[in-house]
Amino acid sequence: MEIIVRPGGPDDVQAVLALLDGATEWLVAQGRTDQWGTQPHSTSPWRVGQISGYAADGSLWIAEYDGRPVGALAIGDAKPPVPPAEEPELFVRLLVTDRALTGQGIGRVLLDHARDLARQAGVQVVRLDCFAGNDGALIRYYESQGFTRDVAFSVQRENAPDWPGQVLVQRL
């Protein structure tokens, strides 16, 4: 399976939202609604604006297989509640892959691309944050990709349990 990574743009927004919707459906089917809830991302004005912003500012990257988007990566500055880095970094703000292709290495390819971008920028640290709830499977995935746990945090939500998060870091 040959996956290519290319810059994303405004024409990719709907494809990224579809990937996010598919990931949410996959999580819901497993009974894992604490991470992203049950509603499609494509119906959230906030999420549409976020992905549109990534596409407009050049921070979006698309993984393609056989000419179709199968994953997305966005990089940029860490945002609260993630604490700022103590040294220059590349921060992964979004990583999503086509759940129908689970196990094909799409996430690894996108994380390798992030590491390459960091090296090109002369940056020695890649950080990201992720959902730390349920059984910790997402944290274990990033650990399998060479990241180590850094700071845990919690996001308070109205009318819902707090959202547990984990910052992970990898030194290049």
Side-chain angles (χ1 to χ4, degrees):
M1 179 172 196
E2 185 178 348
I3 300 165
I4 64 156
V5 179
R6 62 165 176 81
D11 291 345
D12 295 304
V13 170
Q14 291 306 313
V16 175
L17 291 168
L19 288 167
L20 287 163
D21 287 350
T24 298
E25 290 171 11
W26 181 79
L27 288 166
V28 168
Q30 294 184 30
R32 295 173 178 252
T33 59
D34 293 342
Q35 181 174 345
W36 281 341
T38 59
Q39 299 303 308
H41 294 267
S42 57
T43 63
S44 164
W46 176 84
R47 184 64 95 177
V48 172
Q50 179 191 49
I51 302 304
S52 297
Y54 295 158
D57 71 13
S59 64
L60 181 65
W61 297 88
I62 303 297
E64 283 188 345
Y65 170 68
D66 201 23
R68 73 177 181 92
V70 294
L73 165 78
I75 59 171
D77 297 329
K79 302 284 185 196
V82 174
E86 297 178 4
E87 62 186 289
E89 71 172 351
L90 182 136
F91 193 84
V92 174
R93 296 178 77 188
L94 172 74
L95 180 71
V96 63
T97 63
D98 186 334
R99 301 319 313 159
L101 298 172
T102 298
Q104 299 299 311
I106 300 165
R108 178 187 42 76
V109 168
L110 287 166
L111 289 171
D112 284 347
H113 186 72
R115 289 184 273 263
D116 288 344
L117 291 170
R119 287 182 190 100
Q120 291 168 17
V123 173
Q124 301 298 313
V125 174
V126 177
R127 284 194 317 156
L128 56 85
D129 72 298
C130 73
F131 180 66
N134 294 330
D135 61 1
L138 192 52
I139 293 171
R140 286 193 305 279
Y141 168 75
Y142 286 117
E143 288 174 333
S144 78
Q145 297 300 313
F147 288 82
T148 57
R149 295 176 199 214
D150 189 21
V151 179
F153 63 93
S154 182
V155 177
Q156 294 180 348
R157 301 185 294 181
E158 272 188 44
N159 304 318
D162 289 353
W163 189 91
Q166 177 69 53
V167 177
L168 293 110
V169 63
Q170 184 175 56
R171 293 201 155 282
L172 303 177

